[in-house]
Amino acid sequence: MAGVGRIDDNIMLQPTVFLDSDKTYHILCLGAHCDDIEIGCGGALLDILKHNNNIHVTWVVFTSNEKRRLEAEAGAKLFLDGAASSDVRIFDLRDGFLPYAGERVKELCEDIKKTIDVPDIVFTHARHDRHQDHRFISELTWNTFRNHLVLEYEIPKWDGDMGVPNTFIELSEETARKKIEFLQRVYNTQQEKKWFTDDLFWSLMRIRGMESGAVSRLAEAFYSRKIVLSSRGVNKTA
């Protein structure tokens, strides 16, 4: 799935994904709530889909209500515009109660695994996230997808659980601005929240860009628990 190469004068070896233009790659995005995927990895998705026309995306949201579902559908449409194909699944479990609906959530995860192609990348929540719904989805992601490249995204929040990520995807300024524009355009129910602001989203991407030495100065950050590098330059998880 990936090769390893150098970028300019940077001495850090960096994996390069999506090398085979004749292959259709599959990205699986898992989010506990209707805006989680867009906040956590929306920029990365926009950038990946902009530069690759051979990506199928499965987009899964576990909690919603009538208003939030409409927002999530609109958000998925905007962020997945560049995908070769997509499968959007929005469930209606109760926000804040996912761990207490564990059997149902586990069944949904197993059904997702059985009804999709093997994903090349799985985007999900970070395991140390203090929101109970986020942690539970992260736990079930690893329980369900044991031999995949899993990248755990971060969600800024009042709890103050921002950590030290080890994986970064550089974003162009255009992509970063588009991510924020789409979030603000779609999620009207979140506008009264003090943290749902342009400057917060921009600041986090700017900080992660600084940490990763991004040429554009902007990036999204992820946690990768385990990556196996082959001597043939192929990356996979174990």
Side-chain angles (χ1 to χ4, degrees), residues 86-97:
S86 62
D87 175 14
V88 177
R89 309 184 188 188
I90 303 174
F91 301 112
D92 59 358
L93 295 172
R94 187 179 177 186
D95 184 350
F97 286 78

Side-chain angles (χ1 to χ4, degrees), residues 8 32 44 57 66 69 82 86 102 112-113 127 135 161 167 172 179 186 192 210 212 218 221 234:
D8 299 328
V57 181
E66 186 175 353
R69 171 183 284 273
S86 62
I112 292 166
K113 182 179 180 179
R127 62 176 164 177
R135 289 197 309 272
D161 55 15
T167 304
S172 67
K179 169 185 174 174
V186 169
E192 293 183 359
M210 177 272 295
S212 60
L218 299 163
V234 177

Side-chain angles (χ1 to χ4, degrees), residues 126-207:
R127 62 176 164 177
H128 64 264
D129 194 306
R130 293 184 184 275
H131 193 296
Q132 65 275 13
D133 289 351
H134 297 178
R135 289 197 309 272
F136 191 53
I137 294 302
S138 181
E139 177 184 339
L140 288 182
T141 299
W142 283 96
N143 183 261
T144 308
F145 299 96
R146 294 177 176 271
N147 192 33
H148 301 76
L149 175 57
V150 177
L151 298 180
E152 301 176 356
Y153 56 75
E154 55 185 355
I155 302 290
K157 65 178 74 64
W158 176 87
D159 304 84
D161 55 15
M162 307 305 291
V164 184
N166 58 12
T167 304
F168 301 84
I169 296 179
E170 182 174 356
L171 306 177
S172 67
E173 183 173 332
E174 177 188 4
T175 295
R177 292 190 184 281
K178 184 177 290 187
K179 169 185 174 174
I180 295 173
E181 176 194 344
F182 287 171
L183 280 167
Q184 299 293 5
R185 183 191 306 180
V186 169
Y187 284 100
N188 293 321
T189 61
Q190 306 303 295
Q191 295 302 317
E192 293 183 359
K193 294 187 176 180
K194 294 180 180 180
W195 60 268
F196 203 91
T197 60
D198 293 8
D199 59 347
L200 184 144
F201 296 133
W202 185 266
S203 297
L204 182 56
M205 289 187 284
R206 179 68 185 91
I207 289 172

